[in-house]
Amino acid sequence: MMGKSWDILEGACQHCRRCRLWEMRTHVVVGKGNPNADILFVGEGPGQQEDLQGVPFVGPAGQLLDKMLASVGLTLDDVYITNVVKCRPPGNRDPHDDEKAACLNYLRYQFSLIHPKILVCLGRIAATTIISPDFRITRERGQWQERKGCWMIATYHPSALLRDETKKRPAWEDMQAIRKKWDELRADAKQ
Ligand code: URA
């Protein structure tokens, strides 16, 4: 069940004009999945399909993400999925710094409502925004770090896997590590 705070977030996003991306959007894309999930996935920003449907990760990258989640037994019941920016950057360009900055409080609010045990950055944009501005995805993906009780990790963006098949294996290993960490944290919580 989505409570009042989620309604406030949803309303604020729907009316948001904090950066120029609102001018070109069809839909604001807030998130999908379980708002009480232990695992939060954060992508970059909506693509064309996401903008049209108002739902994150429903295009080709989303279909691959679904498969990767399923390969380690995760469903939308176990995760919540959102993006750094909630409106589509034109032509799928990288979101600009001012656009990310304008949108970041929505992500912070989502984080505080979900209170995830694990945060997964999908790709460079999410990792440099959330983990560290100089994060190098190729070098630093797959490494855990804990911040304020939340375990954070970055992996390749599914779109990068569609462009470069050789990234699929390391990304799948990251997915397995995420599943393992979740199992461990749940086992700890029961003790
Ligand atoms: N790529 C993203 O980063 N997010 C989406 O929602 C879809 C594609």
Side-chain angles (χ1 to χ4, degrees):
M1 264 290 284
M2 298 254 181
K4 197 160 181 272
S5 324
W6 280 99
D7 295 343
I8 291 169
L9 172 77
E10 186 72 35
C13 287
Q14 295 307 332
H15 295 107
C16 185
R17 293 187 174 188
R18 293 175 65 96
C19 81
R20 297 291 296 271
L21 294 180
W22 76 268
E23 291 173 12
M24 289 155 281
R25 73 183 173 222
T26 315
H27 289 106
V28 181
V29 179
V30 180
K32 71 175 177 184
N34 182 350
N36 298 310
D38 287 339
I39 312 175
L40 172 62
F41 282 81
V42 183
E44 180 175 327
Q48 185 183 34
Q49 281 306 313
E50 290 77 19
D51 173 68
L52 290 172
Q53 297 183 39
V55 182
F57 285 98
V58 287
Q63 285 161 21
L64 180 55
L65 181 60
D66 288 346
K67 277 193 207 157
M68 299 203 55
L69 291 172
S71 77
V72 293
L74 293 174
T75 70
L76 269 190
D77 221 31
D78 305 312
V79 304
Y80 188 87
I81 303 176
T82 187
N83 285 301
V84 171
V85 294
K86 307 310 193 224
C87 297
R88 183 190 184 204
N92 295 351
R93 65 159 169 75
D94 287 355
H96 295 157
D97 285 346
D98 62 323
E99 295 159 354
K100 289 187 282 184
C103 218
L104 204 54
N105 271 344
Y106 297 129
L107 182 60
R108 289 200 182 100
Y109 194 61
Q110 286 176 307
F111 183 90
S112 71
L113 292 176
I114 298 165
H115 200 65
K117 291 183 166 72
I118 295 172
L119 189 158
V120 183
C121 295
L122 293 170
R124 174 181 56 88
I125 298 287
T128 53
T129 307
I130 296 167
I131 301 179
S132 142
D134 51 10
F135 194 91
R136 304 300 301 254
I137 193 79
T138 309
R139 214 178 303 154
E140 297 175 80
R141 51 143 279 279
Q143 298 175 22
W144 289 107
Q145 47 179 289
E146 192 189 7
R147 209 184 281 173
K148 293 183 195 160
C150 179
W151 287 92
M152 301 198 300
I153 193 170
T155 187
Y156 290 123
H157 192 287
S159 300
L161 310 182
L162 291 172
R163 287 191 300 266
D164 179 358
E165 288 264 317
T166 66
K167 293 192 166 87
K168 278 192 177 170
R169 171 154 278 277
W172 181 67
E173 286 167 4
D174 294 342
M175 238 0 134
Q176 288 185 311
I178 291 159
R179 172 75 214 209
K180 186 161 169 262
K181 177 69 85 184
W182 187 46
D183 289 342
E184 286 167 7
L185 292 172
R186 280 190 304 169
D188 288 352
K190 277 201 195 123
Q191 278 173 11

